[in-house]
Amino acid sequence: QQQVKQSPQSLIVQKGGISIINCAYENTAFDYFPWYQQFPGKGPALLIAIRPDVSEKKEGRFTISFNKSAKQFSLHIMDSQPGDSATYFCAASSNDMRFGAGTRLTVKP
Amino acid sequence: DVKVTQSSRYLVKRTGEKVFLECVQDMDHENMFWYRQDPGLGLRLIYFSYDVKMKEKGDIPEGYSVSREKKERFSLILESASTNQTSMYLCASSLGADEKLFFGSGTQLSVL
């Protein structure tokens, strides 16, 4: 049973558009919510992370929105670029990290 | 630069073989993890370790064991490989709990 549910499974966005990926969790003990980006042939790499004491965190074009009461969080990629094409994983942790199923993002030029 | 090194990029084994996947980190990290990655299922935690000689089961430990004799090295062992263990295996390390994970490039294991 997946502890972190991620959607959509795949996403196609035009260059300059906004990419939105959503995740939901059940375990209220989770206290760290990162997003990882993975390119083909590479291991995942940390993109941005949030802790539950804030509702939003922004780093450049990447923003995490966090809704503690709904137990949901999302990644927004503004002005999406072809170089953003990758697989994105949300995760949640309370000592050990659990990952969502992944979203394959394709940004068309 | 930080580095997590997995010994093999590709590995082909026969069913019933004992398989060792090795992982080494050079960051003096306390925590090390083994995940398997399958399409549509994401990364699933197999085993993790918070300290030398310590190990904890993750979500899918059946058919696997681990060894951590030294802080920098965490080995995943498939006692008797089966075809359903064909997968991409990813090792990761972190400095502490709820900290950034550093991943290796993965080992694509095929069990025939």
Side-chain angles (χ1 to χ4, degrees):
Chain A
Q1 183 106 10
Q2 206 100 29
Q3 293 197 34
V4 181
K5 289 183 167 49
Q6 182 173 346
S7 63
Q9 198 168 7
S10 63
L11 183 60
I12 300 174
V13 172
Q14 290 295 130
K15 179 182 174 182
I18 302 173
S19 304
I20 302 174
I21 305 170
N22 300 299
C23 283
Y25 64 97
E26 286 298 324
N27 186 349
T28 54
F30 288 142
D31 57 5
Y32 175 63
F33 301 89
W35 285 88
Y36 282 79
Q37 180 188 54
Q38 185 181 32
F39 293 104
K42 303 285 187 184
L46 180 67
L47 185 64
I48 186 172
I50 197 169
R51 298 198 185 263
D53 52 340
V54 296
S55 61
E56 186 174 284
K57 184 174 182 181
K58 185 175 181 179
E59 289 182 2
R61 296 184 294 108
F62 301 92
T63 300
I64 299 178
S65 296
F66 184 78
N67 186 329
K68 189 174 181 178
S69 60
K71 291 185 281 187
Q72 295 175 349
F73 58 111
S74 60
L75 176 69
H76 296 233
I77 306 174
M78 311 299 287
D79 187 28
S80 299
Q81 299 297 312
D84 297 331
S85 297
T87 300
Y88 293 81
F89 294 97
C90 62
S93 177
S94 61
N95 294 326
D96 45 348
M97 196 85 65
R98 298 307 204 275
F99 286 81
T103 296
R104 180 173 288 184
L105 172 66
T106 302
V107 181
K108 290 194 174 292
Chain B
D1 202 9
V2 297
K3 207 161 184 182
V4 177
T5 303
Q6 294 184 230
S7 54
S8 304
R9 186 72 182 93
Y10 299 96
L11 211 52
V12 180
K13 296 292 181 181
R14 298 273 179 204
T15 55
E17 279 193 77
K18 190 169 185 176
V19 182
F20 293 86
L21 302 183
E22 306 287 345
C23 176
V24 178
Q25 50 98 359
D26 65 357
M27 297 165 282
D28 201 34
H29 281 173
E30 299 292 330
N31 303 331
M32 296 189 75
F33 306 82
W34 275 106
Y35 292 87
R36 63 176 282 177
Q37 181 175 6
D38 300 286
L41 297 176
L43 281 70
R44 292 181 292 166
L45 183 62
I46 305 171
Y47 267 97
F48 57 102
S49 168
Y50 291 145
D51 200 353
V52 175
K53 297 198 187 291
M54 291 186 65
K55 60 184 179 183
E56 297 284 344
K57 292 181 180 179
D59 294 327
I60 51 164
E62 297 79 17
Y64 303 95
S65 62
V66 289
S67 171
R68 195 168 180 198
E69 295 294 321
K70 293 185 178 181
K71 191 176 185 180
E72 67 270 18
R73 187 180 297 270
F74 192 34
S75 303
L76 181 68
I77 304 156
L78 287 67
E79 295 291 340
S80 178
S82 64
T83 54
N84 63 11
Q85 292 178 310
T86 290
S87 185
M88 170 67 78
Y89 289 88
L90 288 163
C91 174
S93 71
S94 70
L95 185 59
D98 296 346
E99 299 275 352
K100 174 181 177 178
L101 290 185
F102 292 86
F103 281 89
S105 295
T107 295
Q108 180 63 53
L109 173 67
S110 297
V111 183
L112 306 177

